[in-house]
Amino acid sequence: MQIQDNVFIITGGASGLGASTARMIVAAGGKVVLADVQVEAGQALAAELGGVFVKCDVTSEADGQAVVVAAVALGTLRGLVNCAGVAPAVRTVGKEGPHPLELFQRVVSINLVGTFNMARLAAEAMGKTEAAEHGERGIIINTASVAAFDGQIGQAAYASSKAAVAGLTLPMARDLSRSGIRVMTIAPGIFETPMLMGMPTEVQEALGQMVPFPPRLGKPSEYAQLAKAIIENVMLNGETIRLDGAIRMQPK
């Protein structure tokens, strides 16, 4: 799969892992459509990269369709990288009572249903394109988390939603194989995302020291580097790759 001259949709593309991935795509000669709820940041990055921004709630069918329409208008849609997600921390039963059901449903809706919504819509559009080398028409990269396997205290909603994204990988890859569309998932460890960078410096350093090697937080550019390798290697399909410096999360 070539990045040059092809179009890629990045959800959560206004910041963090998504923004770094968008920069990688453009640096490699591709075109990007940034889908995010952060309008100001999304528009600014799209202008910087010569891409297109579409305000998008990934759980909305209409919003997802609008993103795909914008991508197809830009050229040949070859990829989707799903980086949109939320990560609240609430115990199953805490001091204030049981985990709010509405919050659990919201996390699953954004992280899992939103991922599937965008994947199914992008896959339909990619399936209609002319096949490239090896009969390939597209690549979908979803984002899980090491929490999918090592969920910590307070991560019942987040960990289960990300475990479901990992579980979605193989059946979706099998579903889309006849269309020549690959599906892969990246499970990042502790990365320099806007949420983590808002924490005190000493907390960031302490989290980084938990990583066996290298003993630091992961960089969004390292996520983008792996995404690039996945896009370009046609044999990578139907698998979740941990990108975590060998960390295995403790209960808390």
Side-chain angles (χ1 to χ4, degrees), residues 81-103:
V81 183
N82 273 315
C83 293
V86 293
V90 181
R91 294 181 184 234
T92 304
V93 178
K95 294 179 181 178
E96 304 299 320
H99 193 304
L101 184 59
E102 183 180 354
L103 178 60

Side-chain angles (χ1 to χ4, degrees), residues 193-217:
T193 60
M195 180 176 64
L196 270 178
M197 296 311 287
M199 295 180 178
T201 302
E202 59 271 23
V203 174
Q204 295 179 36
E205 291 176 351
L207 288 170
Q209 290 301 314
M210 294 169 57
V211 183
F213 187 83
R216 61 167 172 78
L217 300 177

Side-chain angles (χ1 to χ4, degrees), residues 1-158:
M1 174 63 63
Q2 298 299 313
I3 294 176
Q4 180 79 36
D5 298 327
N6 285 322
V7 180
F8 293 79
I9 294 169
I10 318 289
T11 72
S15 63
L17 304 179
S20 190
T21 301
R23 293 182 190 281
M24 175 276 292
I25 293 292
V26 172
K31 304 172 187 177
V32 293
V33 174
L34 308 179
D36 207 307
V37 293
Q38 301 178 75
V39 176
E40 189 174 340
Q43 289 177 336
L45 183 59
E48 175 191 332
L49 299 179
V52 174
F53 171 76
V54 179
K55 183 181 179 183
C56 175
D57 171 354
V58 293
T59 68
S60 164
E61 181 163 15
D63 283 8
Q65 288 173 334
V67 170
V68 172
V69 167
V72 170
L74 201 58
T76 303
L77 177 60
R78 287 297 190 204
L80 164 69
V81 183
N82 273 315
C83 293
V86 293
V90 181
R91 294 181 184 234
T92 304
V93 178
K95 294 179 181 178
E96 304 299 320
H99 193 304
L101 184 59
E102 183 180 354
L103 178 60
F104 188 94
Q105 291 171 328
R106 177 174 178 269
V107 173
V108 172
S109 181
I110 294 172
N111 293 356
L112 174 61
V113 179
T115 292
F116 183 74
N117 181 43
M118 297 304 297
R120 71 190 181 94
L121 295 173
E124 181 189 30
M126 288 188 285
K128 295 176 180 177
T129 62
E130 288 295 321
E133 189 180 6
H134 308 295
E136 192 173 16
R137 290 187 173 84
I139 173 71
I140 295 171
I141 300 175
N142 295 325
T143 304
S145 164
V146 294
F149 315 103
D150 315 329
Q152 295 184 291
I153 288 170
Q155 289 188 331
Y158 180 67

